[in-house]
Amino acid sequence: MFLVSRTEKCYIEQDGPLHMYVPGDIIIGGLFPVHLQTNRTTMPGNGFQLQVMTFAIQEINQRTPKVLPNLTIGYDIYDTCGDVTFAIRATFGLLKDKFNSCFQPGDSNSTVPEPHAKVVIGERYSEVSVAVARILTLSSVAQISYGSTSELLSKKRKFPTFLRTLSSDTYQTKAIAKLVEKFNWKIVSVVGSDDEYGKYGSEQLIDIFTEMDICIDFKKILPGDFSVDESKAHDKLEELMGLLRNSTAEAIILFTKGANVDVIMKAAIQNNLSRIWIGSDSWSTSTRIAEIKGIYKVGQVFGFISKRNEVPGFKDYVTSMFQGTTNPFLEQYLSYYPRCNSSEKNSKNNCSLTKSQHGSKQCLDPRCLVNYIDQDESYNIYVAVKVIAEGLRQLLKCDSEKCGRNATFTALELFQEIKKVNFTVDTTHIFFDDNGDPSIGYDIVNWDMTESKVDIKTIGEYWPSGKIKLPDDLISKMLNTLQLLCCHVVKIAFLCVTPIGVKCEPCRNWEYPSPEKDKCLNKTLDFLKWWDPFAIVLSFFEIVGIVITILVTVLFAVHRNTPIVKAVGGYLSFLELFSLLACFCITFTFTAKPSTASCVAGLPLFGILFTLCISCILANLLQILVCFRFDQRKSAWLKRLNRPVAVVAVIFCAQLILCVLWLYYRPPIPKEVYHAKTILLQCEKGSKEFFGVMLGYNALLAFACFLFAFHGKLLPDLYKNASFITISMLLYLVIWIVFIPIYISMVGKYTRAIEAAAVLVSNYSILCCHLAPKCYIMLFRKEINSEQAITEYIRKHCEQKGIAVVKS
């Protein structure tokens, strides 16, 4: 056994981290946080875990008949100090070939040597186990943890060789929720931490409570270094204490590591906070927390721990193991604590380890040590060693007299056998599911606290099937002492309606409880209002676009018989201008309170009108290509397509049919989205498939226009019609390519504003790039807007083309 004080530090020797090594035919690695004090932390740890491992291995090696005849198990155990960096360094030490070179994961020119340790027991903490598991996976070394419960580690795609001898947090969170339900609590608070253990556990608790319509008064996630960095801890601790003082929660769930709980409980004592606490398995049986001075003042403590068992014979082993040893951990410990003499052993106070845990150097009596064994973790380690032994027995085909094969095997072979074990250790039946988790239930504990002592008693149990067992008198007692408590959550807001008892009734969907929780208040409606700055800017550009479009239409009407209007498409240009004007008008429907009419007139109508606009442009481009395509063989098929009215009709009707089907089967409709204090009004798209096809169809037409226009840039186009169409279509495509990811990621009232902005920019791209240059020629370049000018331009182009043909 090995305990540390606050003043001791985990140190690094010249050859690597502090460790002990015993040779054998098969080496088992061990990673334990014997110390929890590095240059970055001051918290103590203990060495019970590694002593359980050595005890279990010794038991296997000395057992008669032997589990592994003619073979012995050795071990290589490292002190990780509960630190990720130290654990990684220790892991590479375990993977190292003692007789060859060190494992180098980055060396692609050499094969990975078979690791020194064939299997590893550890680590205690989930965040450390995550880092270790990533490294061990590279060599297919099985990792069996006795304390890491994070749900993340059950994901076999990330951690294929990770196993554990205790249940994952998936079951623990369900167990906590079942306890809350059993005591009929209506409101709880959750305190987690920003690490693999606390983060995933607290988030899962929130999800479960939300589904159960249990209130969450507050959720507080502590930083990962909360118990390490005192400057950060002070501010966060004050904030947490303020939440607890004002909380109406019936129970506070602390789903974080014991070091954090140690800090929280000391602060709760100083602030005279008496609450009902629910502890996760990381601290619910912690003797260090139970021995905090004044801990009885914090109220009641319930907790969960994996099914409790006692390692057979381990207490006697601990008591007798101080009679001479070569254990480096124990030697360091014995050099710090003097032995108790015979007179001191008769003193109860001198035998106590409580003061030593607070930094007092006092004598050590091994008779007292057994009271501080963490039975839960010790048994999980014991089971892990037994699982490895069973896996080895199956792999090496051993019976009571001999093994069918020698000890030359790969770590992967051993892992595959360990995964398949299915046997009983004492009274515990152990096997692993597909996620590497055992099917082991939880014991429910309660802290029976007085001013003089804390007795952690097992009061019930929970099984993965969802069954919970608690004493009837305890349930009755808890139900009779409940106070009136009310709260609100996102899904359901509860309102107190009785002055006595626990009856709470929900506010209606459009209401939320007042801060005093004595009445329901109406939620405010949230949508894009006319006086919103974004809406004002949109309205300005909408009005400007309408005015410009009308002016362009008038100008085109005045010059309708000139060559430039004919070059833009003649009468088709007026159809194009009409569609643009209508598109500008419908953008007003994206502002103000959504209605059935405004939702229908939004994107579906825009899709129809903009298709009409693009079809006019495409028909115009076909005319240009037919007129100026001098290669008769290539232009023959274009001439067959040169039917402007037919082209526009076919293209437009296809989009019209598509949008009519959209509006008939699953049209956009107004939708109310309820938040805590607001009701968001928005247009639900209806069929996302029709919406996507509508946008895709217009994008396909725009791309076709872009290709035709780009191809026609070399034709005799005096007014650069094809060039400007190329720019406008390119702008349209870019706009909607950018719009889609923004639209998908954005939530809230400004989603409609983004839709309106995309429509406006699409309209302006046509108006400014395609039509505005023609207006400039009509007003300021009248000399080229004549039959003579365009005839001369075409003649020169033909002459140049003829010269080019002769030269070739």
Side-chain angles (χ1 to χ4, degrees), residues 549-614:
T549 305
I550 292 173
L551 292 177
V552 171
T553 304
V554 172
L555 192 59
F556 269 56
V558 172
H559 296 83
R560 61 185 178 278
N561 294 321
T562 60
I564 193 167
V565 175
K566 295 178 181 178
V568 178
Y571 58 89
L572 288 180
S573 62
F574 293 99
L575 194 58
E576 180 181 343
L577 283 165
F578 166 77
S579 63
L580 284 178
L581 181 62
C583 284
F584 276 118
C585 290
I586 66 170
T587 52
F588 285 105
T589 65
F590 291 94
T591 310
K593 184 178 179 180
S595 63
T596 302
S598 65
C599 290
V600 170
L603 289 177
L605 193 55
F606 164 73
I608 295 171
L609 291 170
F610 207 76
T611 299
L612 180 61
C613 178
I614 298 177

Side-chain angles (χ1 to χ4, degrees), residues 229-508:
D229 192 329
E230 293 184 1
S231 61
K232 288 185 179 180
H234 182 268
D235 295 338
K236 297 293 183 182
L237 194 59
E238 285 298 316
E239 184 180 349
L240 177 59
M241 290 300 109
L243 290 171
L244 290 172
R245 277 192 295 269
N246 299 321
S247 175
T248 56
E250 296 164 273
I252 312 297
I253 301 169
L254 298 182
F255 207 105
T256 183
K257 56 188 178 183
N260 292 340
V261 178
D262 184 274
V263 177
I264 294 170
M265 287 302 185
K266 288 177 181 177
I269 294 169
Q270 293 175 358
N271 285 269
N272 294 317
L273 290 175
S274 180
R275 297 285 186 269
I276 296 176
W277 309 86
I278 300 179
S280 62
D281 59 358
S282 65
W283 69 273
S284 58
T285 57
S286 171
T287 54
R288 177 163 53 83
I289 296 174
E291 289 180 347
I292 295 175
K293 186 177 181 180
I295 189 66
Y296 67 93
K297 297 178 182 179
V298 300
Q300 294 191 64
V301 176
F302 294 94
F304 289 83
I305 197 71
S306 290
K307 297 296 293 182
R308 308 183 82 188
N309 274 296
E310 187 174 314
V311 179
F314 185 59
K315 285 187 176 180
D316 295 335
Y317 172 77
V318 171
T319 303
S320 63
M321 67 185 297
F322 287 85
Q323 305 300 322
T325 178
T326 58
N327 184 324
F329 294 100
L330 186 55
E331 287 176 353
Q332 185 192 21
Y333 177 74
L334 292 176
S335 68
Y336 186 80
Y337 292 101
R339 300 283 188 104
C340 294
N341 57 40
S342 58
S343 61
E344 289 173 326
K345 288 180 182 179
N346 294 325
S347 170
K348 180 179 179 181
N349 291 332
N350 285 340
C351 284
S352 174
L353 291 182
T354 303
K355 294 182 180 178
S356 70
Q357 291 184 334
H358 293 281
S360 171
K361 272 191 176 184
Q362 63 177 58
C363 69
L364 179 71
D365 185 347
R367 293 179 306 174
C368 305
L369 296 178
V370 295
N371 298 324
Y372 295 89
I373 296 175
D374 190 328
Q375 297 290 353
D376 312 303
E377 287 189 359
S378 298
Y379 191 76
N380 292 337
I381 297 167
Y382 181 75
V383 170
V385 176
K386 293 294 185 179
V387 163
I388 294 170
E390 177 66 14
L392 286 169
R393 190 181 69 81
Q394 296 290 344
L395 176 64
L396 302 180
K397 306 185 185 308
C398 299
D399 54 27
S400 59
E401 297 179 358
K402 65 177 181 177
C403 292
R405 58 178 289 187
N406 58 32
T408 302
F409 57 87
T410 65
L412 177 60
E413 289 180 292
L414 178 57
F415 165 66
Q416 291 172 338
E417 286 298 332
I418 290 175
K419 256 197 331 183
K420 296 186 290 186
V421 299
N422 192 334
F423 71 118
T424 300
V425 180
D426 296 325
T427 59
T428 302
H429 186 70
I430 184 78
F431 66 93
F432 299 106
D433 62 19
D434 293 337
N435 296 322
D437 298 327
S439 182
I440 298 176
Y442 289 92
D443 282 331
I444 304 172
V445 299
N446 175 241
W447 291 21
D448 184 7
M449 295 185 286
T450 63
E451 190 171 350
S452 58
K453 70 171 184 176
V454 176
D455 188 10
I456 302 177
K457 297 180 178 179
T458 300
I459 60 168
E461 57 187 354
Y462 173 85
W463 295 99
S465 62
K467 181 182 178 181
I468 189 170
K469 182 180 179 182
L470 287 166
D472 292 336
D473 59 340
L474 175 65
I475 296 174
S476 181
K477 177 184 176 182
M478 296 303 297
L479 292 176
N480 290 332
T481 57
L482 289 178
Q483 299 177 354
L484 177 63
L485 299 163
C486 300
C487 68
H488 69 274
V489 350
V490 172
K491 276 193 173 181
I492 295 181
F494 285 92
L495 170 69
C496 294
V497 294
T498 59
I500 302 175
V502 295
K503 183 180 180 182
C504 288
E505 292 185 356
C507 293
R508 288 165 293 188

Side-chain angles (χ1 to χ4, degrees), residues 538-695:
L538 289 174
S539 299
F540 171 78
F541 283 103
E542 289 161 1
I543 294 170
V544 170
I546 290 172
V547 172
I548 292 176
T549 305
I550 292 173
L551 292 177
V552 171
T553 304
V554 172
L555 192 59
F556 269 56
V558 172
H559 296 83
R560 61 185 178 278
N561 294 321
T562 60
I564 193 167
V565 175
K566 295 178 181 178
V568 178
Y571 58 89
L572 288 180
S573 62
F574 293 99
L575 194 58
E576 180 181 343
L577 283 165
F578 166 77
S579 63
L580 284 178
L581 181 62
C583 284
F584 276 118
C585 290
I586 66 170
T587 52
F588 285 105
T589 65
F590 291 94
T591 310
K593 184 178 179 180
S595 63
T596 302
S598 65
C599 290
V600 170
L603 289 177
L605 193 55
F606 164 73
I608 295 171
L609 291 170
F610 207 76
T611 299
L612 180 61
C613 178
I614 298 177
S615 63
C616 293
I617 295 173
L618 187 58
N620 177 230
L621 286 171
L622 288 173
Q623 284 181 307
I624 294 172
L625 290 174
V626 170
C627 292
F628 298 105
R629 172 61 68 181
F630 297 100
D631 187 340
Q632 296 301 320
R633 291 173 299 177
K634 293 182 180 179
S635 64
W637 67 276
L638 287 174
K639 289 181 179 179
R640 287 194 292 270
L641 293 176
N642 189 20
R643 301 289 185 272
V645 175
V647 170
V648 171
V650 170
I651 295 174
F652 173 74
C653 287
Q655 182 72 291
L656 180 63
I657 292 171
L658 177 67
C659 290
V660 168
L661 291 174
W662 179 10
L663 295 175
Y664 180 78
Y665 287 106
R666 289 185 61 190
I669 56 173
K671 181 182 178 182
E672 296 180 347
V673 181
Y674 294 96
H675 295 294
K677 296 183 179 180
T678 60
I679 302 174
L680 175 63
L681 302 180
Q682 61 182 20
C683 283
E684 179 68 28
K685 290 297 169 291
S687 172
K688 293 181 180 179
E689 293 77 12
F690 277 116
F691 172 61
V693 174
M694 180 274 287
L695 287 182

